[in-house]
């Protein structure tokens, strides 16, 4: 799909994407770079980072990789400092590092629960905390009245409840709360916009292969309003919107990009049957006198 954005829409911007070595966040990093930004990606596995950076550079994109664990404050500080040293500034932070697996509550140990919260929730906050001095107005490479942008990758699991996802639902609810709180406080004090993106099921990603394997996903498409999975580019385009001037007045919002899936429920009655039932009910109401004004009785 051809991008609807100008190729230079992010010209002169510098971005750091955590979890950018694969999946959705790799595509976000690639699209930020294709649209003019210099991009650093952060991840725990050096070999994955090197492969991702090589893939970006092979396309003529400006990219660098730094290994680090978002759960460790010293890693967060080191990677952010290295990014700013490399690019001279930081304009965009995308928090996409995450952990997930299927588990029923009775089989999920507190340690497993805690691990996901530490990566998703605490890791997101740690990166934001360490990035403040670079993103705030007047920071390195920043004007006195121009701050940067944070995009936190969330989910829709916690909007209702999702089977076997109590750990991630709790973690992403925390991420959404961080997004709103920082948007209020850092938007006010430092001119930093903070937004989120909540992807639905995206094809060709480790998350979909892990959480909705083919053995479990039969019939899943019939439940989706658009009858299809999303693409990685759909999430990257949402990130571009928020990062560009098109989204310059958007703050404190988590943008749901799931084709309406979180709103959907199985259709228990076919549409044709609904029409016939409605006619039957109306006929019963008319003949029973229910709803007819007393003066007509």
């Amino acid at each position: 799909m051809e991008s609807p954005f100008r190729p230079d829409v992010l010209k002169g911007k510098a971005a750091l994407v955590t979890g950018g070595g694969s999946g959705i966040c790799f595509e976000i990093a690639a699209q930020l770079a294709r649209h003019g930004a210099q991009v650093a990606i952060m991840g725990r596995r050096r070999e994955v980072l090197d492969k991702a950076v090589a893939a970006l550079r092979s396309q003529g994109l400006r990219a660098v990789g730094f290994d680090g664990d978002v759960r460790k404050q010293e890693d967060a500080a080191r990677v952010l400092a290295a990014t700013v040293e490399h690019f001279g500034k930081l304009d965009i932070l995308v928090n996409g590092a995450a952990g997930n697996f299927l588990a029923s509550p009775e089989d999920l140990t507190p340690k497993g629960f805690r691990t996901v919260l530490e990566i998703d929730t605490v890791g997101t906050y740690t990166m934001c905390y360490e990035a403040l001095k670079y993103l705030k107005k007047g920071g390195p490479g920043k004007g006195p009245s121009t701050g940067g942008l944070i995009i936190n990758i969330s989910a829709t699991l916690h909007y209702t409840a999702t089977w076997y996802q109590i750990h991630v639902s709790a973690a992403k609810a925390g991420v959404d709360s961080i997004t709103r709180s920082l948007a209020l406080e850092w938007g006010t004090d430092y001119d930093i916009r903070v937004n989120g993106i909540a992807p639905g099921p995206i094809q060709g990603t480790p998350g979909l292969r892990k959480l909705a394997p083919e053995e479990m996903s039969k019939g899943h498409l019939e439940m989706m309003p658009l009858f299809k999975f999303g693409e990685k580019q759909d999430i990257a385009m949402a990130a571009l919107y928020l990062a560009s001037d098109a989204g310059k007045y958007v703050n404190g919002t988590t943008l749901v990009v799931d084709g309406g899936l979180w709103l959907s429920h199985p259709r228990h009655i076919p549409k044709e049957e609904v029409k016939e039932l409605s006619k039957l009910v109306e006929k019963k109401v008319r003949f029973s006198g229910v709803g007819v004004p007393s003066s007509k009785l």
Side-chain angles (χ1 to χ4, degrees):
M1 182 179 79
E2 186 177 346
S3 171
F5 293 92
R6 295 193 325 268
D8 63 347
V9 72
L10 297 180
K11 184 178 180 180
K13 302 289 187 182
L16 171 63
V17 182
T18 73
S22 63
I24 288 171
C25 289
F26 174 79
E27 184 64 21
I28 290 174
Q31 292 295 346
L32 294 178
R34 285 184 193 127
H35 289 80
Q38 304 175 90
V39 175
I41 58 176
M42 175 182 178
R44 285 180 290 169
R45 295 175 292 170
R46 186 74 247 178
E47 65 277 11
V48 173
L49 280 177
D50 289 343
K51 185 177 178 180
V53 170
L56 293 172
R57 288 180 176 173
S58 70
Q59 301 172 47
L61 304 175
R62 292 168 291 180
V64 64
F66 298 112
D67 59 286
D69 189 333
V70 297
R71 292 173 291 183
K72 299 178 180 178
Q73 188 174 353
E74 60 272 23
D75 282 12
R78 172 178 52 79
V79 170
L80 282 157
T83 300
V84 173
E85 182 179 356
H86 194 84
F87 297 139
K89 62 173 183 170
L90 179 68
D91 301 294
I92 303 163
L93 171 64
V94 180
N95 288 307
N100 202 354
F101 49 87
L102 293 170
S104 57
E106 61 270 26
D107 296 326
L108 178 65
T109 66
K111 181 179 179 181
F113 186 90
R114 188 182 304 112
T115 296
V116 172
L117 263 73
E118 285 175 349
I119 297 171
D120 290 47
T121 315
V122 180
T124 291
Y125 181 73
T126 299
M127 292 300 300
C128 292
Y129 178 84
E130 291 295 336
L132 172 60
K133 55 182 171 287
Y134 305 116
L135 291 173
K136 68 181 181 180
K137 59 185 178 183
K142 293 277 189 305
S145 60
T146 304
L149 167 72
I150 297 171
I151 299 175
N152 297 323
I153 304 302
S154 185
T156 62
L157 306 171
H158 53 290
Y159 292 174
T160 52
T162 303
W163 288 93
Y164 316 124
Q165 292 286 277
I166 188 172
H167 46 324
V168 186
S169 295
K172 293 304 188 184
V175 169
D176 285 358
S177 182
I178 289 169
T179 295
R180 291 188 295 269
S181 294
L182 292 186
L184 170 66
E185 300 200 46
W186 288 3
T188 302
D189 294 337
Y190 304 116
D191 195 50
I192 297 173
R193 289 191 298 119
V194 187
N195 291 298
I197 300 173
I202 305 299
Q203 63 185 356
T205 61
L208 189 63
R209 289 192 294 271
K210 186 184 294 186
L211 302 180
E214 189 176 343
E215 294 81 0
M216 291 178 58
S217 58
K218 292 175 182 176
H220 190 66
L221 291 176
E222 283 91 20
M223 292 178 58
M224 302 177 70
L226 298 183
F227 297 102
K228 60 183 178 181
F229 291 120
E231 300 175 358
K232 288 175 279 190
Q233 192 175 13
D234 294 322
I235 310 305
M237 290 299 111
L240 276 174
Y241 162 69
L242 292 171
S244 72
D245 284 345
K248 66 183 177 62
Y249 199 52
V250 181
N251 188 37
T253 292
T254 295
L255 182 59
V256 177
V257 186
D258 77 337
L261 175 61
W262 86 271
L263 299 169
S264 67
H265 299 280
R267 194 196 307 258
H268 296 296
I269 305 174
K271 191 180 294 186
E272 294 72 21
E273 193 175 329
V274 169
K275 292 179 183 177
E276 294 304 315
L277 284 171
S278 295
K279 291 177 184 176
L280 183 61
V281 170
E282 286 297 321
K283 195 176 293 184
K284 284 183 177 179
V285 168
R286 273 201 309 273
F287 284 112
S288 67
V290 175
V292 179
S294 57
S295 60
K296 301 292 184 180
L297 295 177

